[in-house]
Amino acid sequence: MAGSKSRCLNSISQVLLTLLILRCLQCHSRPHSYDSKPLSEISKEIFKYSDIAQRIINLAVYGKAQNRSYERLAEFTDTVGNKVSGSKNLDLAIKYMYNALTWDGLENVHLEQVKIPHWVRGEESAVMLLPRNHTLAILGLGSSVGTPPGGIEAEVMVVESFEELKKRASEAKGKIVVYNQPFVSYGETVAYRASGASEAAKVGAVASLIRSVTPFSINSPHTGWQWYQPGVPQIPTACITVEDAQMMVRMARRGQRIVVHLTMGAQTLPDVDSYNTVAEITGSKHPEQVVLLSGHLDSWDVGQGAMDDGGGVAISWEALSLIRDLGLRPKRTLRTVLWSAEEPGGVGAAQYFQQHKANISNFDLVMESDLGTFSPLGLQFTGSDKARAIMKEVMKLLAPINVTSLEEHGEGTDINMWMKAGVPGASLHTADQRYFWFHHSDGDTMSVQNPEEMNLCSAVWAVVAYVVADLEEMLPR
Amino acid sequence: MAGSKSRCLNSISQVLLTLLILRCLQCHSRPHSYDSKPLSEISKEIFKYSDIAQRIINLAVYGKAQNRSYERLAEFTDTVGNKVSGSKNLDLAIKYMYNALTWDGLENVHLEQVKIPHWVRGEESAVMLLPRNHTLAILGLGSSVGTPPGGIEAEVMVVESFEELKKRASEAKGKIVVYNQPFVSYGETVAYRASGASEAAKVGAVASLIRSVTPFSINSPHTGWQWYQPGVPQIPTACITVEDAQMMVRMARRGQRIVVHLTMGAQTLPDVDSYNTVAEITGSKHPEQVVLLSGHLDSWDVGQGAMDDGGGVAISWEALSLIRDLGLRPKRTLRTVLWSAEEPGGVGAAQYFQQHKANISNFDLVMESDLGTFSPLGLQFTGSDKARAIMKEVMKLLAPINVTSLEEHGEGTDINMWMKAGVPGASLHTADQRYFWFHHSDGDTMSVQNPEEMNLCSAVWAVVAYVVADLEEMLPR
């Protein structure tokens, strides 16, 4: 009996174990259960959201929420101004948004603490002394060291590429290297801003001035973060205008000696406390599962940050307001995160990732709008083929506003680590031909924004986020 | 006999008188003798210039003069910088051009003295203190008075039109009037820059800040001349950026109190001596008759004046060089005039008109390029119907570069008085969609210019000037 009983118990325990394993597999595979479902069925499920999508669009584009994201952004921007990492203005911006999101009646509004860089520009100026006196419009680059108090006066060496700098390395000692690299694309050309100083320092330069990374200029300098390479002397570095870089290369080609006096009071102060700002609509069925919408709250210390990334902030807030206004509550949680300190390299978002990555299996889709909120053209998406196929169906819901395109390469400094870890990611692609004209310059103001375009962006953001958060299953990975 | 002799003498004297009158009429009607010639014959005459036109085009666009006007302008601009009326830089520019035209081997190079205004900007700044602290980018307007040394601090009243200012006149006393007029066209909208200060002063304002007259901005202020009306208090006035004007109108609509602190060190010093700079190719048959080509040498004290009006200067010089290079000498004199002090309202050109108007019957055609030297679209022309018909034939010679359009309304501050007095006038129309983006701002630099486009402009300028100067007759009036 014992034997029989033992066998019987053994059989029962085997069955239980099998059930347990199956249950476990089911549990773990639940986020991927769309894997086995035919797309035609998923399409039908998504098609049922047509009415809801239309209601969201109507509210955002034609209804009482018309122009709301623009008006909110205008009031926020006009009240706070720019808000660079580490500044009191960024603290003000976070408080403003915390209060605004709370007052708007969103759920679980809270702040999540992070440490962020505190670089300050100080007084800065550059004057070309030879071949003639000319004041250069400059903007020191984030993380740059300053000059000695009296500034640096040195002859200029103009190069048009890193290759030219290497070839002419022997000429660089004691010089201010001016990079007049052509604008190819932001992704490619920003290398000069990011590492121009260290490359120049390696060959003995005392400072570097970098042509602003923009395809168009009205003598407008554009700032941005730069990175010193380890073990390389840290030299002061700033952007100059396209116009002045082009002038100096003409002078150099004529064999004229160029001398510049550069003064920069830039310094890096100790890191400060800051916060990622969070608001939610809690999911009705799977509150632990998250569709994350985001933009970053910090900006540069020039311009107003209305475009980079006020627009992304505004539509990530607006999307939740629209869904709430319609009395909708998706199965999963919609979470808007307004990142702190994106400009120094996604600093706030990197800490968020560390704080939340243990929960990565519950992140359904991460979205960021940080490329402008002009007229929307489509959604850039990173994810598996099956997830892409599903997202294409979701985008069809935006046919009423003709924004059905699903493109490659979801991107966003603040969501990249999630995508690298396998979470599907999406970014908003808008008619951004002029984005880099204003980017990181005094031209980043509310005048760049257009209420009608922001209505459309908000509608796209809300429809995508809501539908993905409400589908039967999470997006497959 | 006496009687017979007397009658005989009388008859002879009558014949002589008649001949004299006829000769005189012929003499006076000579400039108009195309009046009676059929257009078909004139067309044939003009058509014979096809080869010469092609040679000019070849030299300017494809030959050894390719890019010369651009290179000359670049070297001039890079050497001198900007050159505002009354400045030492304008003196330098005149000397530079006198030497360059002489060195180029042009004829009768000389300077003609004029008196010009000497307004200086001084230090200037504007800070919005309420509802938040924000530095306004400003440019004081030419002829503006300064503020008291400590500046002016006052509440702002934002209006969007002169009509609104009049309706709300009772609110203006003691305020700084901010004009946020929309950009309609330069011709229409510049009224706010030109007379915004006096209109504001009439209703008791203490200063006026005017939205820059441009359809596009990267937070770029644009300066320009303004005129105080007689008997109206003279208040300080400056342009602000489109962005800041739009921000302040948003704040005003929200009912927010706006306070600005404005400091301007502007002052008008005594007039100074200056010169219109002249170079010629003397006519072979009618050296006293003139086709005048022109641009103005002065600029604003911001930017480099490479566009306004470096381009016009460069092609008006280049046209003569091209004709000289080809060994051509037209029947009439080609005269290039580089005006002094156009920006304060055509001051140098007005004195030139006074100095030369006695000779007006010998002015065949007056040309000015002061609207940009982008890709040429055609020639704007003011003149009689017959003159227009002839000019249309001349423009056909430019078919090889597809610039055959003859448009209405020749214009140019420096040639308007000649046209009003009946002299045919022409101005260059180019693809100037972005002209006012840069106009009177720091964005007016060599980066605006394109060598290929300037080649084409030079060819148009040279062909038109040469052919008109070489025709059998002057243009009819």
Side-chain angles (χ1 to χ4, degrees):
Chain A
M1 290 293 286
S4 165
K5 188 179 176 187
S6 169
R7 270 196 305 276
C8 183
L9 280 172
N10 207 24
S11 296
I12 289 169
S13 66
Q14 275 181 336
V15 168
L16 283 172
L17 187 64
T18 307
L19 283 171
L20 192 65
I21 288 167
L22 279 171
R23 173 69 188 150
C24 259
L25 281 172
Q26 189 182 24
C27 168
H28 277 93
S29 70
R30 196 180 57 197
H32 307 284
S33 73
Y34 268 149
D35 280 337
S36 54
K37 202 169 188 176
L39 187 63
S40 58
E41 280 186 42
I42 306 172
S43 293
K44 279 180 203 160
E45 184 194 345
I46 293 170
F47 182 74
K48 289 178 190 161
Y49 287 95
S50 298
D51 283 353
I52 284 178
Q54 187 65 62
R55 285 171 63 203
I56 292 172
I57 290 166
N58 287 347
L59 178 61
V61 180
Y62 313 107
K64 75 176 178 60
Q66 192 184 53
N67 301 353
R68 185 170 60 186
S69 59
Y70 174 91
E71 297 295 344
R72 283 172 168 177
L73 178 59
E75 189 154 352
F76 169 61
T77 303
D78 292 343
T79 302
V80 176
N82 60 40
K83 37 211 171 291
V84 71
S85 178
S87 67
K88 285 184 181 167
N89 266 22
L90 180 55
D91 289 345
L92 282 177
I94 291 166
K95 280 178 195 157
Y96 182 108
M97 274 296 162
Y98 175 85
N99 290 334
L101 295 165
T102 304
W103 184 88
D104 192 32
L106 298 180
E107 299 164 5
N108 195 20
V109 176
H110 67 280
L111 303 177
E112 301 191 11
Q113 192 167 355
V114 290
K115 283 273 183 196
I116 63 170
H118 188 195
W119 174 82
V120 291
R121 177 177 305 285
E123 294 288 315
E124 59 186 18
S125 66
V127 181
M128 185 178 75
L129 302 171
L130 288 176
R132 72 173 163 95
N133 204 287
H134 171 70
T135 300
L136 303 167
I138 67 164
L139 281 176
L141 296 181
S143 85
S144 176
V145 297
T147 61
I152 290 172
E153 190 171 311
E155 194 171 329
V156 160
M157 171 186 179
V158 186
V159 298
E160 307 216 62
S161 66
F162 287 133
E163 291 66 38
E164 184 181 349
L165 179 67
K166 275 169 199 156
K167 276 185 198 157
R168 297 174 54 201
S170 62
E171 301 170 45
K173 193 169 170 58
K175 301 258 177 74
I176 295 174
V177 167
V178 167
Y179 292 96
N180 179 44
Q181 79 288 343
F183 182 86
V184 179
S185 69
Y186 185 74
E188 183 173 333
T189 310
V190 75
Y192 287 86
R193 190 194 78 206
S195 55
S198 282
E199 293 303 323
K202 283 178 193 170
V203 292
V206 293
S208 63
L209 296 173
I210 295 141
R211 172 171 153 169
S212 290
V213 183
T214 177
F216 179 78
S217 174
I218 304 183
N219 207 48
S220 25
H222 297 242
T223 189
W225 204 257
Q226 70 92 36
W227 284 267
Y228 288 124
Q229 294 167 24
V232 178
Q234 300 191 346
I235 60 173
T237 184
C239 270
I240 56 175
T241 67
V242 172
E243 289 89 334
D244 283 334
Q246 291 180 332
M247 179 186 69
M248 285 196 272
V249 83
R250 287 194 302 273
M251 290 170 166
R253 282 179 189 153
R254 290 184 199 117
Q256 291 176 298
R257 184 165 173 260
I258 307 168
V259 174
V260 163
H261 188 101
L262 174 70
T263 309
M264 290 174 61
Q267 54 182 318
T268 298
L269 304 174
D271 284 358
V272 301
D273 287 334
S274 185
Y275 304 91
N276 294 319
T277 306
V278 183
E280 296 183 344
I281 293 177
T282 310
S284 60
K285 187 172 174 187
H286 308 293
E288 77 289 1
Q289 295 175 7
V290 175
V291 168
L292 186 149
L293 307 87
S294 69
H296 65 85
L297 209 47
D298 67 307
S299 71
W300 277 99
D301 58 342
V302 293
Q304 305 291 298
M307 179 189 79
D308 182 12
D309 181 29
V313 163
I315 68 166
S316 295
W317 170 13
E318 179 68 16
L320 264 57
S321 299
L322 291 167
I323 291 160
R324 187 269 329 273
D325 286 353
L326 291 169
L328 299 169
R329 181 178 297 279
K331 296 184 185 69
R332 284 172 210 85
T333 293
L334 288 171
R335 179 180 300 166
T336 286
V337 184
L338 311 180
W339 310 109
S340 187
E342 185 273 348
E343 294 296 356
V347 174
Q351 290 168 71
Y352 183 89
F353 181 72
Q354 293 304 323
Q355 291 157 358
H356 294 271
K357 68 180 177 184
N359 200 27
I360 193 166
S361 64
N362 280 324
F363 280 76
D364 187 7
L365 174 67
V366 290
M367 301 162 66
E368 180 166 34
S369 162
D370 188 21
L371 302 164
T373 46
F374 305 102
S375 190
L377 301 176
L379 199 72
Q380 300 164 324
F381 181 74
T382 293
S384 66
D385 289 349
K386 188 67 179 281
R388 173 171 297 280
I390 293 169
M391 289 301 290
K392 276 192 180 172
E393 298 302 309
V394 173
M395 291 305 288
K396 287 180 184 168
L397 299 170
L398 290 158
I401 52 172
N402 198 25
V403 191
T404 57
S405 170
L406 190 76
E407 304 166 13
E408 302 287 327
H409 304 305
E411 65 176 285
T413 303
D414 300 310
I415 59 169
N416 280 338
M417 58 283 275
W418 294 98
M419 290 189 289
K420 278 181 192 157
V423 178
S427 46
L428 186 62
H429 182 203
T430 68
D432 56 7
Q433 298 91 332
R434 291 184 176 179
Y435 182 81
F436 289 108
W437 297 19
F438 307 110
H439 181 251
H440 296 189
S441 85
D442 271 325
D444 181 348
T445 71
M446 275 311 293
S447 296
V448 169
Q449 299 287 1
N450 173 292
E452 289 79 16
E453 292 173 358
M454 288 188 69
N455 293 339
L456 294 169
C457 290
S458 299
V460 172
W461 222 223
V463 167
V464 169
Y466 176 78
V467 173
V468 172
D470 198 56
L471 291 177
E472 282 304 318
E473 302 295 340
M474 284 174 67
L475 293 174
R477 297 197 177 169
Chain B
M1 293 286 287
S4 165
K5 189 181 176 185
S6 168
R7 269 197 305 276
C8 182
L9 281 172
N10 206 26
S11 297
I12 290 169
S13 68
Q14 275 181 336
V15 167
L16 283 172
L17 187 65
T18 307
L19 283 171
L20 192 65
I21 289 167
L22 280 171
R23 174 68 187 151
C24 260
L25 280 172
Q26 190 182 23
C27 168
H28 276 94
S29 71
R30 196 180 56 195
H32 307 284
S33 73
Y34 268 150
D35 280 337
S36 53
K37 203 170 187 176
L39 188 62
S40 58
E41 280 186 42
I42 306 172
S43 293
K44 280 181 201 161
E45 185 194 345
I46 293 170
F47 181 73
K48 290 179 188 160
Y49 287 95
S50 298
D51 283 354
I52 284 179
Q54 187 64 62
R55 286 171 62 203
I56 292 172
I57 290 166
N58 287 347
L59 178 61
V61 180
Y62 313 107
K64 74 177 179 61
Q66 192 184 51
N67 300 353
R68 185 170 60 186
S69 58
Y70 174 91
E71 296 296 344
R72 283 172 168 177
L73 178 59
E75 189 154 351
F76 169 62
T77 303
D78 292 344
T79 302
V80 176
N82 60 41
K83 38 211 172 288
V84 70
S85 178
S87 67
K88 285 183 182 169
N89 266 21
L90 180 54
D91 289 345
L92 282 177
I94 292 166
K95 280 177 194 156
Y96 182 108
M97 274 296 162
Y98 175 85
N99 290 333
L101 295 165
T102 303
W103 184 88
D104 192 33
L106 298 180
E107 299 164 5
N108 195 21
V109 177
H110 66 279
L111 303 176
E112 302 191 12
Q113 192 168 355
V114 290
K115 282 274 183 196
I116 63 170
H118 189 195
W119 174 82
V120 291
R121 177 177 306 285
E123 294 289 315
E124 58 186 19
S125 66
V127 181
M128 185 179 75
L129 302 171
L130 288 176
R132 72 173 163 95
N133 204 287
H134 171 70
T135 300
L136 303 168
I138 67 164
L139 281 176
L141 296 181
S143 84
S144 176
V145 297
T147 61
I152 290 172
E153 190 171 311
E155 193 171 330
V156 160
M157 171 186 179
V158 187
V159 299
E160 307 217 62
S161 66
F162 286 134
E163 291 65 38
E164 184 181 350
L165 179 67
K166 275 170 198 155
K167 276 185 199 156
R168 297 174 54 201
S170 62
E171 301 170 45
K173 192 168 171 58
K175 301 257 177 74
I176 295 174
V177 167
V178 166
Y179 292 96
N180 179 44
Q181 80 287 344
F183 182 86
V184 179
S185 69
Y186 185 75
E188 183 174 334
T189 310
V190 75
Y192 287 86
R193 190 194 79 205
S195 55
S198 282
E199 293 303 323
K202 283 179 193 170
V203 291
V206 293
S208 63
L209 296 173
I210 295 141
R211 171 172 154 168
S212 290
V213 183
T214 177
F216 179 78
S217 174
I218 303 182
N219 207 49
S220 25
H222 297 242
T223 188
W225 204 256
Q226 69 92 35
W227 284 267
Y228 288 124
Q229 294 167 24
V232 178
Q234 300 191 346
I235 60 173
T237 184
C239 270
I240 56 175
T241 66
V242 172
E243 289 90 333
D244 283 334
Q246 291 180 333
M247 178 185 69
M248 285 196 273
V249 83
R250 286 194 301 272
M251 290 169 166
R253 282 178 190 152
R254 290 184 200 118
Q256 291 177 298
R257 184 165 174 259
I258 306 168
V259 174
V260 164
H261 188 102
L262 174 70
T263 309
M264 290 174 61
Q267 54 181 317
T268 297
L269 304 174
D271 284 358
V272 300
D273 287 334
S274 185
Y275 304 91
N276 294 319
T277 306
V278 183
E280 295 184 345
I281 293 177
T282 310
S284 60
K285 187 172 174 187
H286 308 293
E288 77 288 0
Q289 295 175 8
V290 175
V291 168
L292 186 149
L293 307 88
S294 69
H296 65 85
L297 209 46
D298 66 307
S299 72
W300 277 99
D301 58 342
V302 293
Q304 305 291 298
M307 179 189 79
D308 182 12
D309 181 30
V313 163
I315 68 166
S316 295
W317 170 13
E318 179 68 16
L320 264 57
S321 299
L322 291 167
I323 291 160
R324 186 271 327 275
D325 286 353
L326 291 169
L328 299 169
R329 182 177 296 279
K331 296 183 185 71
R332 285 171 209 86
T333 293
L334 289 171
R335 179 180 299 165
T336 286
V337 184
L338 311 180
W339 310 109
S340 187
E342 185 273 349
E343 294 296 356
V347 174
Q351 290 168 70
Y352 183 89
F353 181 72
Q354 293 304 322
Q355 290 157 358
H356 293 271
K357 68 180 177 184
N359 201 26
I360 193 166
S361 64
N362 280 324
F363 279 75
D364 188 7
L365 174 67
V366 290
M367 300 162 66
E368 180 166 35
S369 162
D370 188 21
L371 302 164
T373 46
F374 305 102
S375 191
L377 301 176
L379 200 72
Q380 300 164 324
F381 181 74
T382 293
S384 66
D385 289 350
K386 188 66 178 281
R388 173 171 297 279
I390 293 168
M391 289 301 290
K392 276 192 180 172
E393 297 301 309
V394 173
M395 291 305 287
K396 288 180 183 169
L397 299 170
L398 290 158
I401 52 172
N402 198 24
V403 191
T404 57
S405 170
L406 190 76
E407 304 166 12
E408 302 287 327
H409 304 306
E411 65 176 285
T413 303
D414 300 311
I415 58 169
N416 279 339
M417 59 282 275
W418 294 97
M419 291 189 289
K420 278 182 192 155
V423 177
S427 46
L428 186 62
H429 182 204
T430 69
D432 56 7
Q433 298 91 332
R434 292 184 176 179
Y435 182 81
F436 289 108
W437 297 19
F438 307 111
H439 181 251
H440 296 189
S441 85
D442 272 325
D444 181 347
T445 71
M446 274 311 293
S447 297
V448 169
Q449 299 287 1
N450 174 292
E452 289 79 17
E453 292 173 358
M454 288 187 70
N455 293 338
L456 295 169
C457 290
S458 298
V460 172
W461 222 222
V463 167
V464 169
Y466 176 79
V467 173
V468 171
D470 199 56
L471 290 176
E472 282 304 317
E473 303 294 340
M474 284 174 68
L475 293 174
R477 298 198 176 169

